[in-house]
Amino acid sequence: MLFPLVNKSAGRSFVMGIVTATLSLSLILFMIIGLLGIERASRLTFPIYSVVQEISIGEVMMNIHSVISVILLILIFIKLLVLVYAAYASLNQMFLPATKWPFLIAITMIMTAMAGSIYENPIQNREWNEKYTFVYGSFFALFIPCLLLVITWVKNIVRKTYRRSAG
């Protein structure tokens, strides 16, 4: 949804951005697993904090966890902005309103109201994932595509019978 709004020559930059992000995430992942081990790194919610706390490089790097916290907050904010824009653009394309700002206000009000209850703690999130994520995901991954296939099949049958009776 965001990519068509960029110039035509942005394809190479987009791929290079994906490659750079993949390499940096892989390097960070290998560093964390190498320093903490697989079992300990998999149990921690934010293993990079433990790595920073355990490695004492000096007084200059002592408060690097605050820098990492700010970077994570900025990344979450950017991710939230992209999601809000995607919802806003989707609603605008779907309904084609005369004035577009009411959708933005409605999206922000809904997200503000849901912010306190969506992710309360990691334990609740893990329980939610174990109980409901498969059912929720399978609705969109299995039920809706199967329903669309059945509707297309029925539509083709109706169209063929209509052509036979008309022709």
Side-chain angles (χ1 to χ4, degrees), residues 77-140:
F77 181 70
I78 290 171
K79 197 187 283 188
L80 185 64
L81 282 176
V82 169
L83 291 174
V84 167
Y85 174 74
Y88 173 72
S90 298
L91 287 175
N92 280 335
Q93 287 178 3
M94 192 181 316
F95 295 113
L96 298 171
T99 58
K100 297 180 179 182
W101 61 269
F103 282 125
L104 188 60
I105 291 174
I107 290 170
T108 17
M109 288 175 63
I110 290 171
M111 290 182 75
T112 305
M114 293 178 67
S117 64
I118 288 177
Y119 186 79
E120 292 181 12
N121 58 27
I123 297 169
Q124 181 186 20
N125 192 29
R126 183 176 296 146
E127 289 175 1
W128 171 267
N129 287 341
E130 290 173 358
K131 291 181 182 176
Y132 304 112
T133 301
F134 179 74
V135 175
Y136 180 75
S138 63
F139 176 75
F140 292 104

Side-chain angles (χ1 to χ4, degrees), residues 140-161:
F140 292 104
L142 297 173
F143 178 72
I144 291 179
C146 289
L147 180 68
L148 291 173
L149 284 172
V150 168
I151 289 173
T152 306
W153 182 63
V154 169
K155 184 178 171 184
N156 287 337
I157 290 175
V158 169
R159 190 177 290 159
K160 285 180 185 178
T161 57

Side-chain angles (χ1 to χ4, degrees), residues 49-105:
Y49 285 131
S50 298
V51 169
V52 170
Q53 288 173 351
E54 289 181 8
I55 299 176
S56 57
I57 298 172
E59 294 296 324
V60 176
M61 301 297 279
M62 191 61 95
N63 292 325
I64 193 131
H65 61 277
S66 61
V67 174
I68 291 174
S69 299
V70 169
I71 290 172
L72 286 175
L73 283 174
I74 290 171
L75 288 176
I76 290 171
F77 181 70
I78 290 171
K79 197 187 283 188
L80 185 64
L81 282 176
V82 169
L83 291 174
V84 167
Y85 174 74
Y88 173 72
S90 298
L91 287 175
N92 280 335
Q93 287 178 3
M94 192 181 316
F95 295 113
L96 298 171
T99 58
K100 297 180 179 182
W101 61 269
F103 282 125
L104 188 60
I105 291 174

Side-chain angles (χ1 to χ4, degrees), residues 10-20:
R12 186 173 189 279
S13 301
F14 183 70
V15 171
M16 289 304 294
I18 290 175
V19 167
T20 306

